[in-house]
Amino acid sequence: MARHFPLPLEEVAHQAVGLQTCLNPGLWLDHFTEWEERRGELKRAEASDKRQRIPRSFNFPELCQLLSAYRNRWDRMLDALRTQNYIVQKFTLRAASRVIVGLGAESVLETSIRLHRIYGFPIIPGSALKGVTKEGKNESDPVFVDIFGKSPPESQAGKVIFFDAIPANPANLTLELDVMNPHYAPYYQGVAPPADYHNPVPVFFLTIGPGSEFLFAVASREKHLAERAREWLIEALTEIGIGAKTVAGYGLWERW
């Protein structure tokens, strides 16, 4: 049976025409923002209407329950690794700026954001966290090799696991709409020189809002490797950032 959670303020107007927000924000974003009810029929929504229909908040009772249940499952996974003699380093960071992960994937908004495939809330893949942690490091350093491994022909598996980062607190977890506004699209496409008569083409995209708290974790059977990986990951997230547009100040995190 389909379940629904209470509508945020920006969705109240749509309830009057029979639309309800589904429990999975990712499903709503990918499918239900595309359509609206007009005069008793489903019609494709205008771009501006689609943007108004995007779920932004996760602070609703049923969503909070799902996030809490998923966090408990995540914690139990870490506990299971501890029983296998893994040293787990878990910590919480807060987004200091807007964070963009998964921008290049397909979406009804032309750009995308990485959401959990089943539950629909934003996550940061462990592969992305591992990648940003490696940036700027000396790859010949024995500690680097132990943490990340080595490519062929001298293949060696890394000894540290980087887990997906998940929301820590649904009360402050938000999605915020942002926009890129390229003025010289024909020039970027290589078909014409830049000129003032070119029209700007706004490109809207979703971000994780500042203040959103996420849980991060790394694990290794060797304590010094787990601790060093944690230090490097925090350093990367707070100084470099993760995701797209980090050179413009996006993707930064902070302790508090």
Side-chain angles (χ1 to χ4, degrees):
M1 180 181 296
R3 302 174 67 195
H4 302 84
F5 58 83
L7 295 174
L9 291 178
E10 62 264 31
E11 298 293 344
V12 170
H14 299 288
Q15 188 180 38
V17 292
L19 293 175
Q20 289 182 300
T21 305
C22 74
L23 187 58
N24 186 317
L27 183 63
W28 176 264
L29 174 65
D30 287 341
H31 298 282
F32 300 142
T33 54
E34 187 75 12
W35 302 89
E36 64 181 359
E37 186 176 354
R38 296 198 299 269
R39 291 189 289 275
E41 296 183 1
L42 284 178
K43 304 286 186 180
R44 285 195 178 274
E46 299 293 334
S48 58
D49 292 332
K50 287 194 293 185
R51 292 193 293 271
Q52 293 298 322
R53 292 155 56 81
I54 295 170
R56 311 289 179 86
S57 173
F58 295 78
N59 192 24
F60 305 106
E62 288 185 307
L63 278 182
C64 289
Q65 291 174 14
L66 278 179
L67 278 167
S68 177
Y70 187 79
R71 175 176 175 172
N72 288 337
R73 182 177 181 182
W74 189 81
D75 283 331
R76 298 294 77 75
M77 175 182 63
L78 299 182
D79 290 341
L81 286 172
R82 291 187 180 97
T83 65
Q84 300 176 46
N85 299 319
Y86 278 88
I87 306 300
V88 177
Q89 295 284 322
K90 183 176 73 170
F91 57 95
T92 305
L93 294 179
R94 180 171 58 195
S97 63
R98 290 177 172 177
V99 181
I100 316 166
V101 178
L103 184 67
E106 291 185 3
S107 169
V108 295
L109 294 179
E110 300 181 58
T111 58
S112 188
I113 186 171
R114 183 61 58 86
L115 301 175
H116 191 281
R117 184 173 182 178
I118 297 174
Y119 297 109
F121 50 75
I123 62 169
I124 305 175
S127 57
L129 296 170
K130 183 177 181 179
V132 74
T133 306
K134 295 171 67 173
E135 291 187 22
K137 301 296 186 298
N138 180 4
E139 297 187 14
S140 62
D141 180 357
V143 176
F144 178 95
V145 174
D146 282 342
I147 291 176
F148 299 106
K150 185 181 291 187
S151 301
E154 301 178 359
S155 299
Q156 176 180 323
K159 298 179 181 179
V160 174
I161 303 171
F162 289 77
F163 296 92
D164 292 348
I166 66 170
N169 184 2
N172 60 30
L173 176 62
T174 59
L175 296 181
E176 294 188 1
L177 195 64
D178 208 332
V179 61
M180 295 179 283
N181 200 19
H183 284 67
Y184 307 114
Y187 169 67
Y188 299 134
Q189 296 166 3
V191 298
D196 290 339
Y197 56 78
H198 291 153
N199 292 324
V201 182
V203 178
F204 293 89
F205 58 95
L206 278 172
T207 68
I208 298 171
S212 299
E213 298 173 18
F214 272 65
L215 286 166
F216 301 82
V218 296
S220 175
R221 284 195 169 97
E222 299 183 30
K223 183 178 179 180
H224 75 285
L225 294 181
E227 291 177 345
R228 182 58 61 87
R230 176 183 182 274
E231 293 171 2
W232 283 355
L233 176 55
I234 292 175
E235 179 183 0
L237 292 171
T238 57
E239 297 183 10
I240 300 174
I242 191 168
K245 299 174 71 67
T246 53
V247 294
Y250 289 75
L252 291 171
W253 298 78
E254 63 183 358
R255 306 181 188 185
W256 71 100

